[in-house]
Structure formats: structure tokens, C-alpha cells
Amino acid sequence: MNVGAARAIEFSASREVDVVDVDPPAPDRGEVLVETTVSAVSAGTELLAYRGDLDPETAADEALEALSGDLSYPLRYGYSVVGTVAAVGDGVDPSWRGETVFGFNPHEGRFLASTEELQPVPDGIGPETAALFANTETAVNFALDGAPRIGERIAVFGQGVVGLLTTALLSRSPAADVVAVEPRADRRALADALGADATVDPSAVDASEALRDRTGGVDLAVEVSGRPETLETAVEATRFGGRVLVGSWYGTKRAEIGFGDHFHRGRVAVESSQVSTIAPELRGRWDADRRRETAWRELRRLQAEDRIADRLVTDRFDVEEAPAAYRRLADDAEPTVQVLFTY
């Protein structure tokens, strides 16, 4: 099969993006060749790569074969690709050919993967919705780690795509109150549409004070703003014995944070949450397969009840236009939420 070179996105230096040729060979034994339909930009992580805010010595993702290596330039990144299996290697069931699949793979128009690295997209879920799978799995992980209890009050700081999906899932939990904290009006409106009980604009009011006035202090604060200085606000908004779950990856960004009397005397717990692993206390009952099954189920429900892709996908760029796409994201232009690349 000779179909010519496809295109891939490569971060070559801070604020420099190249679009390069990729021409993978025929699939080897146990592999398939995937032709990409769409790939979703994970704005938080990929803007760190675009702006040069990643530690080049950090492993890209030890849990994903497609993201082996470190985060030094030149760097191919991304982990939300949907496409069609175009060819199969020896030892692969021929029924895989023509299957629509999701892959944790960088932005590439064509790539090789083993079947173990791919997720068949369930019937009835379109490619643009399926491209939200990775962020939905992250939101499921936050819900598992946050463990919201009946009657609790929750704040989600940051309403990018992950924050919006987290708000949507937590609003369906037994929690009594879910408040979205976000400076952009368009994203506060989306949070409201996805089930938030209230929204707070931290650029207009003191967010921790507004949350304490409404809730008496939240039981759980989920920090997904991507801004390390927000962590202090989240702590201040949390009641005695409450917990702050940090889902943001700050890269090399730093901020002065003062954890004062409230943090110490209030016994506020600050915990990390990262989708590459299952929390130790859950591993007896949960594994990656169970979490992914849950994410697909929740994504199907979000598609049916909330038209999630219609709400979140605001921009579509041909892969050749990648430099313009990252400039738009870096400019934080309203109403950009989810950017997709098409191939």
C-alpha cells in the first residue's frame, strides 16, 4: 500500500511548531496502521510544551509507549487521536481492519500501534466525541480520587476542557453543591449548562471568600486551572478537615504560595491526582481497563444528555495550520475551548 507521506506536528523550540512528513512502514507482526481522522489538543499540557514550560529531562509518559522518551525539543506530543485501522500485520485478527479506534498518540496523520495500545470506539460515538475520551478518563480519575460523598460541597477551579468534564461528572455525584470557578464568561456559561449549581468569577470577587459565603467552606476543591497560585485560593476555600485535589500539571511554572493558619489549623489535606496510575487504595478493585470502561460510559451519557462535543469543540484546524492553532490557544482567545486537528 503506497499512500504517500502523512503529516505530524512537532514542537521544535519555545513557540515554534513545525508540520513534518511521517511515513510509517507497513505494520509488523502484532501491529496495525491507523489513519487519523481527528486529534484533540490537550491545551494545558501542550501549551506548556509550546511555551517552553516543560522540564526537558522529565519522562514524557512512562505509561504510554507512544510517548516514550523525554520532553526535550524536538518533541511530538498529544494523546487523543481517533482514526481508522487501514492495515493489519501478521498475527492480528483481520476484523480490526476498518475499525474506528482511539489512541494515546501524538498528533500524526498515520501511526503504528499494537492492538493493546488502542481503544475500539463504541458504536454510536462519533470521532469528535471520541477525541474527548482521554480528558474524560482524567475527569473520571478526579472523581475516583476526590471520592465525593453525599451532601458534600465541591469547587472546581478552572473550566478548561478537563475542568468542564470534571464539573459535569461531579454534578451527577451525590454532592449537594458543585461550584465552578473560572474567569472567562463563556466557560462559566458552559459549566452552568453542564450542571454546576453556581459559578464564581475570580477576576471580579475574592473566590475563596465567595465560596465560604455560599458553602461555609467546601469539602473538596479540585484544582485544574493550570495556575499554581490558584492552589492557595483553593486551600483558603476549604473547610476544616477538607481536601484539595491537584489535577493541574504546572511544568516549570512556580508561584509564591503562603499556606497560613487556615491550612495548618484547619487540617486541610492537599493531594495529587494523575491519570497515569490508579490510586494505591483503589488498586484492589480498580485497574486501567475498568476506569476506561467507566470513561466510555460517561462519555456516551454526556453525548446523549449534553451534546458534549457540540458544546466543547469550538475550533477545527487542518493539521497544516497547527502553528496558528497554538498561537490562538496561547492568546487565550474567547470563545476557544477544545481545538481539534483534522487530517
Side-chain angles (χ1 to χ4, degrees), residues 83-107:
T84 302
V85 175
V88 301
D90 291 342
V92 177
D93 189 329
S95 66
W96 275 91
R97 188 180 290 108
E99 185 83 39
T100 300
V101 294
F102 173 93
F104 294 96
N105 198 82
H107 302 290

Side-chain angles (χ1 to χ4, degrees), residues 263-280:
F263 171 66
H264 290 284
R265 295 175 179 172
R267 292 186 172 271
V268 176
V270 178
E271 303 174 6
S272 67
S273 179
Q274 220 292 323
V275 73
S276 61
T277 57
I278 303 288

Side-chain angles (χ1 to χ4, degrees), residues 24-42:
D28 204 345
R29 183 173 183 83
E31 292 182 327
V32 301
L33 176 69
V34 179
E35 293 277 358
T36 304
T37 304
V38 296
S39 61
V41 174
S42 179

